[in-house]
Amino acid sequence: MIREIIVPTQNTYVLHLPDNLIGKNVEVIAFSNEDISGGEAATNMAGKRTAEQAIAFYLKNAVDFENIKKWNREDLYD
C-alpha cells in the first residue's frame, strides 16, 4: 500500500508504482483534506493522539459487563 500526502505545484502528478503492484487492480484517489468533513482540524487531531489518550478513551467509554443482568431464553416469555 502506498499513501502519500503531497502539495501539488502543477496539475499533473507522476506516480511510480512498485513492482508488486504490476498486474493488480490499483485504485488511485485524489482529494483535498479540506474536502473531508472537519477539514484540517480533524486531520491534525488524528495525528496528535497518543496511546495514552486512546487507553483513557477506552476506559472512559468501556462497558462493564459484570454489572449487566444475566438472562436466559425463558426470560423472553415473561
Side-chain angles (χ1 to χ4, degrees):
M1 182 176 128
I2 300 172
R3 182 175 185 179
E4 186 174 335
I5 298 174
I6 63 164
V7 178
T9 58
Q10 301 176 16
N11 62 351
T12 59
Y13 182 74
V14 177
L15 175 66
H16 295 279
L17 298 174
D19 292 339
N20 64 343
L21 292 179
I22 295 175
K24 296 182 180 180
N25 289 331
V26 177
E27 179 176 354
V28 178
I29 301 173
F31 58 89
S32 168
N33 284 345
E34 294 150 0
D35 293 341
I36 302 172
S37 62
E40 285 186 34
T43 305
N44 291 340
M45 274 303 292
K48 293 184 180 180
R49 290 191 180 136
T50 63
E52 291 80 18
Q53 290 172 325
I55 292 169
F57 176 83
Y58 170 76
L59 294 174
K60 177 183 171 190
N61 296 299
V63 175
D64 184 9
F65 289 102
E66 292 180 10
N67 295 331
I68 295 177
K69 180 185 173 203
K70 306 236 186 307
W71 59 274
N72 58 37
R73 183 176 289 274
E74 299 303 321
D75 294 338
L76 293 174
Y77 302 108
D78 287 341

